[in-house]
C-alpha cells in the first residue's frame, strides 16, 4: 500500500516551477488542446454571472483567471505559496474571493455549502493514497451547495503503461494495469483510470455527468506531427473523440464533471 503523500515536497516542487507551470498551457498545441477541451466543460457547467467558484489547486491561476474573465467570483487555494503569489502579482480583481495556501484535503476554514463549483485539478493525481483522494473529494462536496459542480482532473496510467511495454518491463505493466503510484518531477504521484475515478466520485457522494480525455488520440503522436496541424481542426478532431467511452483512459489527462448527488450511492 502507498505511503501517505509528502505534501511539503509537492509544495516545494511547484514553488520552484511556478513560472513554468503558468506558461505550460500555452507551450504547445497539445497543451493548448488541454486548456481548450477543459474550458468547454467550464463554459457548459461552471460559468454563470456571479457564480462562486473554489479553485482548490489553482497553481498560478490560469483557470481561475479564465473564470474571472467570464464573470465568476473565484477563491484560490493551493499547496504552493509561490504559485499563488504569482497570481496575485498578475491579477487584481474584486471578484477574487481569497488566495490562501493549504491542502485540498482540509478545507475546514471554509463554511459548508458556500460554493457553486469546485475545481480539483491537481490533488487527485498528486495524492497517492485512496483515503487522501477521498478526503479531498469529500471536502469539495462539503463546501459545495446542493446541486453544485465539481471539475476533477486526473492523469491516466496510459503513458506509463506504454513506456513500460516499450521497456519490456512486464512487472511494471502488471503493476500499472490497475493504476497506482509512479514517480514524476522527482516526487511520487498517482495514476488512475477513468473507471476508478468515477467509482471514487460516487463513493464521495457525487453523480458523474461527463468524463472526457484531454489528449486522447494525440497522446502518443510526436510533437512534430502535432505542431504541423491547423489548431482549430486539431481541436475539432480531439473534441470528436474525447468522450468515446472506449478511449477515455487512452490519454495523458482526463477530466470528470460531477454534481453533488441528491441521493448519494453510499
Ligand atoms: C500541474 S499543477 C495544475 C494547476 C492548475 N490547476 C491547472 O490545472 O493548470 C498541480 C497543482 O496542484 C497543486 N496541488 C497538488 N496537491 C494539492 C493538494 N493536496 N492541495 C492543494 N493543491 C495541491 C500543486 O501545488 C500544483 O499547483
Amino acid at each position: 500500500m502507498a505511503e501517505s503523500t509528502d505534501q511539503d515536497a509537492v509544495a516545494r516542487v511547484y514553488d520552484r516551477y511556478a513560472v513554468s507551470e503558468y506558461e505550460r498551457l500555452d507551450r504547445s498545441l497539445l497543451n493548448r488542446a488541454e486548456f481548450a477541451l477543459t474550458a468547454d466543460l467550464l463554459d457548459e457547467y461552471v460559468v454563470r454571472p456571479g457564480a462562486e467558484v473554489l479553485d482548490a489547486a489553482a497553481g498560478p491561476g490560469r483557470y481561475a483567471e479564465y473564470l474571472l474573465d467570464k464573470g465568476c467570483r473565484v477563491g484560490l487555494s493551493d499547496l504552493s505559496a509561490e504559485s499563488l503569489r504569482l497570481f496575485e502579482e498578475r491579477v487584481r480583481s474584486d471578484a477574487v474571493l481569497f488566495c490562501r495556501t493549504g491542502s485540498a484535503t482540509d478545507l475546514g476554514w471554509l463554511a459548508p455549502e458556500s460554493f457553486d463549483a469546485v475545481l480539483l485539478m491537481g490533488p487527485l493525481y498528486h495524492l497517492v493514497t485512496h483515503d487522501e483522494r477521498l478526503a479531498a473529494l469529500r471536502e469539495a462536496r462539503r463546501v459545495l451547495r446542493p446541486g453544485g459542480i465539481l471539475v476533477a482532473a486526473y492523469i491516466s496510467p496510459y503513458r506509463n503503461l506504454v513506456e513500460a511495454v516499450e521497456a519490456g518491463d512486464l512487472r511494471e505493466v502488471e503493476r500499472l494495469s490497475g493504476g497506482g503510484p509512479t514517480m514524476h518531477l522527482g516526487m511520487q504521484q498517482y495514476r488512475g483510470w477513468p473507471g476508478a475515478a468515477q467509482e471514487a466520485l460516487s463513493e464521495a457522494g457525487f453523480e458523474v455527468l461527463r468524463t472526457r480525455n484531454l489528449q486522447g488520440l494525440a497522446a502518443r503522436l510526436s510533437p512534430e506531427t502535432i505542431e504541423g496541424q491547423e489548431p482549430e481542426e486539431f481541436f475539432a478532431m480531439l473534441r470528436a473523440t474525447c468522450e468515446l467511452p472506449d478511449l477515455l483512459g487512452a490519454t495523458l489527462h482526463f477530466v470528470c464533471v460531477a454534481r453533488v448527488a441528491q441521493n448519494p450511492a453510499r
Side-chain angles (χ1 to χ4, degrees):
M1 201 159 86
E3 286 175 19
S4 60
T5 309
D6 181 350
Q7 298 197 48
D8 291 341
V10 177
R12 279 196 298 277
V13 169
Y14 282 102
D15 279 350
R16 189 165 356 120
Y17 292 120
V19 172
S20 98
E21 183 55 33
Y22 178 70
E23 294 162 353
R24 181 179 69 87
L25 291 163
D26 288 325
R27 199 167 294 141
S28 68
L29 200 49
L30 199 59
N31 292 113
R32 285 169 55 200
E34 177 184 334
F35 187 85
L37 269 69
T38 304
D40 292 343
L41 296 175
L42 296 179
D43 289 346
E44 192 172 340
Y45 290 97
V46 176
V47 171
R48 307 277 179 275
E52 293 184 308
V53 183
L54 169 65
D55 191 348
R62 284 298 305 272
Y63 288 106
E65 208 172 334
Y66 179 80
L67 292 173
L68 288 164
D69 285 346
K70 297 262 177 170
C72 298
R73 290 156 51 76
V74 184
L76 294 84
S77 70
D78 198 283
L79 287 174
S80 162
E82 178 59 14
S83 298
L84 294 176
R85 193 192 64 74
L86 278 187
F87 171 82
E88 286 185 293
E89 197 176 84
R90 210 178 58 249
V91 177
R92 304 220 183 266
S93 161
D94 292 342
V96 175
L97 301 170
F98 52 79
C99 259
R100 175 165 166 151
T101 310
S103 176
T105 56
D106 179 7
L107 302 176
W109 49 282
L110 290 169
E113 302 190 2
S114 46
F115 293 94
D116 300 301
V118 172
L119 312 191
L120 211 45
M121 299 176 61
L124 300 171
Y125 49 82
H126 281 292
L127 294 167
V128 291
T129 72
H130 177 74
D131 286 353
E132 291 171 317
R133 292 189 296 278
L134 197 57
L137 291 176
R138 288 193 165 134
E139 278 294 74
R141 187 179 190 281
R142 185 183 65 77
V143 302
L144 276 168
R145 298 190 171 115
I149 291 291
L150 173 71
V151 181
Y154 289 85
I155 300 184
S156 162
Y158 177 68
R159 172 158 66 186
N160 301 79
L161 206 49
V162 174
E163 283 169 359
V165 171
E166 279 167 354
D169 187 345
L170 173 60
R171 189 177 291 220
E172 185 66 353
V173 169
E174 287 173 345
R175 187 183 76 80
L176 278 171
S177 295
T182 187
M183 289 301 286
H184 185 59
L185 294 175
M187 60 187 151
Q188 232 192 6
Q189 299 191 4
Y190 169 74
R191 301 291 178 258
W193 296 107
Q198 291 163 349
E199 256 179 48
L201 284 160
S202 147
E203 186 179 351
F206 288 99
E207 173 196 357
V208 180
L209 305 175
R210 298 275 288 276
T211 303
R212 69 166 28 181
N213 68 44
L214 300 178
Q215 292 86 13
L217 293 179
R220 301 294 302 169
L221 296 180
S222 71
E224 296 72 32
T225 304
I226 293 172
E227 293 304 324
Q229 305 276 331
E230 195 286 315
E232 285 311 321
E233 280 177 18
F234 179 63
F235 298 165
M237 288 189 282
L238 296 189
R239 284 187 177 109
T241 50
C242 65
E243 297 190 30
L244 292 177
D246 292 328
L247 288 183
L248 288 178
T251 186
L252 307 176
H253 299 82
F254 63 92
V255 173
C256 298
V257 178
R259 182 166 51 202
V260 170
Q262 281 185 334
N263 301 305
R266 287 161 239 205

